[in-house]
């Protein structure tokens, strides 16, 4: 319920990863944007173009999307707290479940700084 299209539901097994190709339209500085919901804190290892960046902590939102307020958008920076500098073109985002906790993922992508 309350997704903006379709979602990945109950992404809950440790080691399970999701990988996406994202097209960046122009060189720039970007944050990673994640829209998700979970009744527990989730943790996901974030890789960008095959390189480990950091572990993302996805705070509890209250549920698995049954309520309109369960969904949250959160942005992530690089390990230094700065936006990612990305060249125009295709980039690969991989998120791997590191704590055996389920989340529902609505969408992710890069947003310009």
């Amino acid at each position: 319920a309350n997704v903006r299209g379709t979602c990945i539901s109950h992404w809950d097994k440790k080691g399970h990863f999701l990988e996406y190709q994202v097209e960046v339209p122009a060189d720039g500085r970007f944050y990673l944007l994640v829209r998700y919901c979970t009744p527990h804190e989730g943790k996901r290892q974030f890789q960008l173009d095959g390189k480990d960046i950091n572990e993302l902590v996805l705070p509890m939102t209250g549920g698995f999307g049954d309520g309109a307020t369960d969904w949250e958008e959160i942005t992530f920076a690089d390990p230094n707290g700065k936006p990612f500098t990305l060249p125009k073109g295709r980039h690969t985002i991989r998120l791997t479940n590191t704590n055996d906790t389920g989340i529902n993922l609505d969408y992710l992508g890069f947003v310009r700084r």
Side-chain angles (χ1 to χ4, degrees):
N2 302 302
V3 298
R4 303 224 173 112
T6 59
C7 78
I8 302 296
S9 178
H10 294 83
W11 173 21
D12 56 4
K13 298 211 186 294
K14 187 174 183 176
H16 179 213
F17 69 87
L18 302 175
E19 188 171 279
Y20 296 93
Q21 300 286 314
V22 178
E23 195 71 31
V24 173
D27 295 354
R29 299 175 69 185
F30 301 88
Y31 292 98
L32 177 69
L33 173 71
V34 179
R35 184 170 193 258
Y36 74 100
C37 62
T38 181
H40 313 283
E41 180 181 85
K43 295 183 179 179
R44 302 297 184 264
Q45 179 62 39
F46 171 42
Q47 290 181 318
L48 178 59
D49 296 330
K51 296 178 185 167
D52 281 336
I53 303 299
N54 57 5
E55 186 174 62
L56 307 180
V57 176
L58 301 157
M60 175 182 72
T61 65
F64 278 125
D66 297 332
T69 60
D70 287 352
W71 292 94
E72 292 286 338
E73 280 187 350
I74 190 169
T75 56
F76 295 99
D78 74 10
N80 298 314
K82 298 183 181 191
F84 301 95
T85 300
L86 297 173
K88 176 183 176 178
R90 183 169 291 190
H91 296 276
T92 302
I93 298 171
R94 179 184 278 206
L95 299 175
T96 303
N97 185 330
T98 59
N99 73 333
D100 233 12
T101 300
I103 70 166
N104 290 350
L105 177 67
D106 191 6
Y107 56 80
L108 57 84
F110 291 112
V111 291
R112 191 175 289 281
R113 173 181 173 262

